[in-house]
Amino acid sequence: MSDRLHDAIVVGGGPAGTAAAIGLADRGLDVVVIDKAAFPRDKTCGDGLTTLALRELERLGLTPDRVDSWTVVERAHLHSPRANTVTLPLPPGPGQFAAIARRIDLDAALIELATHRGVTVHQQVGLRGASMHRHHVEVRTDATPPLQARWVVGADGIWSPLRRALGVAEPRYRGEWHAFRQYFSRTTNDDAELHVWFEPDLLPGYAWSFPLGDGRANVGFGVLRGTRLDGRALARLWPDLLQRPAIRSVLGPRAVAEGHHRAWPIPARITTTRLTAGRTLFVGDAARATDLFTGEGIGQALLSGRLAAEALADRIDAADPSPVTRAYSTSVLDELAPDHQMAAALSKLMAVEPLAEASIRLVGSTPWTRRNVGRWLFEDSPRGIALTPRRWHRGVLSGPPAFTATTQR
């Protein structure tokens, strides 16, 4: 066993874990990240970056030029259940409100950034066990001597091995969403435009095509678990979806699939899951922080990682962990619980085809609705802002985008 007592060990090197690690290292703390993968590694995802995610990345100091596949989005096309299309423009000018970046590129860039900021990163090191003690946590791995730290941050995904090791896993949990995605090349999808199809048999889920530049796109679909589509039915649906005229017209006749399609579960129950255990804080997918309406989770992962670092920053030596765990849980729920409640209501609305159709028509009814719903959809303002009067202030619905000083759209 190593005699060194680290300030924090972060289990998992994705966006949530690196956000927590960088936030702690920037405050002069001794931080170690372990991840079972070797970076760059692929991560099955829709690859979308909302305004929330972009602002959090900018706060971390990651610039778009460090991510090879970074593609700025300027317009979103919503296709209703009855094939009506509404186009939502994002404001022109400097800065970015939405982008797409492959996770293989984004996560590798974040790991590199963490290393440059003083974080010790151990790749290809898997968690084998963990035990809580009064003043520290011991982490056992498959490739290093046991590690000890005052605190541990669990950023190791929906089926968090750290949760299991500490006895706080949720048995038989499979997430709230199913999702499929596959990369395509030689598409006719405009590099500045993304498409979302609310097909009747997917509601309240949807299909998407997200541009990655040079005619490449991330194409996929997601549905809420427990709908009539489950298990093998999803796999059978995939080739049918790709041949539907509305989707085929965007991909174009020369589109070529790259590799195999991949499926993954998406966790979205931030308001009911356990966020802490002793001297451990859970972030990102391990905290079930994904948006229940869209299935988007990168922004929420980055935000929860930052909040974990902030909760720990001034209390790293605390003998009693409860002030830290209370501060973290309170901040996460203050930020994300209203958004989750709003997302749950929207999901119920979009599950009914006539209501989904009417909602999309309403969104497209005026230039004002198209402009402002587009920004709200991409989390320019909190999803649940109507439920949180403390967030109301002048300009809350018209804030600046991310990267205004470094990019032009």
Side-chain angles (χ1 to χ4, degrees):
M1 179 188 298
S2 171
D3 293 331
R4 182 174 180 179
L5 181 65
H6 302 282
D7 289 317
I9 296 169
V10 179
V11 182
T18 49
I22 292 169
L24 292 169
D26 282 353
R27 292 167 169 86
L29 300 176
D30 172 20
V31 188
V32 174
V33 170
I34 65 170
D35 196 293
K36 65 182 179 180
F39 291 80
R41 61 94 176 93
D42 193 18
K43 171 77 173 186
T44 310
C45 181
D47 296 335
L49 299 173
T50 61
T51 314
L52 168 64
L54 296 176
R55 287 179 179 144
E56 292 293 329
L57 290 170
E58 184 177 34
R59 184 193 291 260
L60 284 178
L62 184 75
T63 54
D65 62 318
R66 304 302 297 270
V67 183
D68 288 343
S69 55
W70 191 287
T71 304
V72 180
V73 171
E74 298 178 1
R75 290 171 297 282
H77 302 284
L78 306 185
H79 305 273
S80 77
R82 298 176 188 170
N84 293 299
T85 299
V86 170
T87 298
L88 307 180
L90 293 171
Q96 301 177 20
F97 286 95
I100 314 296
R102 295 193 312 162
R103 288 290 299 276
I104 192 172
D105 301 325
L106 177 67
D107 290 14
L110 284 168
I111 282 286
E112 182 181 23
L113 181 65
T115 301
H116 288 167
R117 299 278 269 278
V119 177
T120 300
V121 178
H122 294 303
Q123 301 184 39
Q124 294 182 289
V125 173
L127 182 79
R128 283 294 180 86
S131 54
M132 290 187 282
H133 302 271
R134 184 176 180 183
H135 297 299
H136 73 279
V137 182
E138 180 180 298
V139 171
R140 298 179 295 280
T141 80
D142 57 12
T144 68
L147 304 170
Q148 297 182 80
R150 293 180 173 85
W151 291 90
V152 172
V153 176
D156 49 347
I158 180 174
W159 291 307
S160 167
L162 183 61
R163 274 187 176 275
R164 292 199 303 271
L166 297 177
V168 292
E170 299 167 87
R172 296 177 295 280
Y173 179 61
R174 297 186 298 159
E176 278 62 49
W177 281 71
H178 295 283
F180 271 62
R181 76 101 160 104
Q182 190 165 19
Y183 289 119
F184 281 75
S185 58
R186 300 170 60 186
T187 76
T188 55
N189 194 141
D190 187 293
D191 287 347
E193 301 183 345
L194 64 77
H195 293 261
V196 174
W197 293 273
F198 292 94
E199 295 287 284
D201 54 344
L202 299 183
L203 297 175
Y206 59 91
W208 68 77
S209 177
F210 293 170
L212 286 163
D214 299 324
R216 301 187 69 239
N218 179 317
V219 183
F221 74 97
V223 296
L224 281 175
R225 190 178 294 277
T227 63
R228 59 186 178 276
L229 293 171
D230 211 341
R232 295 177 182 175
L234 293 170
R236 291 194 298 268
L237 177 62
W238 181 234
D240 172 67
L241 270 176
L242 293 175
Q243 295 305 317
R244 294 184 185 182
I247 296 175
R248 201 71 218 175
S249 65
V250 170
L251 298 184
R254 300 174 63 245
V256 176
E258 299 179 357
H260 298 288
H261 67 263
R262 293 188 178 185
W264 79 103
I266 298 175
R269 57 167 65 173
I270 188 71
T271 57
T272 58
T273 204
R274 182 170 179 172
L275 298 174
T276 68
R279 290 181 168 271
T280 299
L281 311 179
F282 297 104
V283 297
D285 279 4
R288 324 308 191 209
T290 303
D291 186 281
L292 185 61
F293 176 53
T294 64
E296 195 278 329
I298 298 176
Q300 289 78 3
L302 292 163
L303 173 61
S304 63
R306 172 169 64 84
L307 294 176
E310 291 175 355
L312 286 170
D314 298 326
R315 308 176 182 93
I316 202 75
D317 296 323
D320 179 5
S322 57
V324 177
T325 57
R326 280 198 302 269
Y328 174 64
S329 297
T330 298
S331 64
V332 168
L333 293 177
D334 280 350
E335 290 287 343
L336 295 178
D339 300 355
H340 182 87
Q341 294 163 3
M342 177 64 76
L346 290 170
S347 291
K348 292 178 180 179
L349 177 72
M350 296 298 289
V352 181
E353 183 179 337
L355 296 179
E357 181 70 29
S359 298
I360 294 173
R361 286 180 178 271
L362 178 62
V363 166
S365 60
T366 71
W368 187 92
T369 57
R370 291 192 293 272
R371 181 175 63 253
N372 287 281
V373 171
R375 294 182 66 164
W376 175 82
L377 183 65
F378 285 103
E379 298 177 325
D380 176 33
S381 58
R383 181 84 70 226
I385 192 169
L387 307 177
T388 48
R390 62 182 173 78
R391 290 166 162 168
W392 299 350
H393 58 82
R394 184 182 296 275
V396 68
L397 299 178
S398 57
F403 304 113
T404 55
T406 57
T407 60
Q408 295 287 327
R409 295 185 55 230

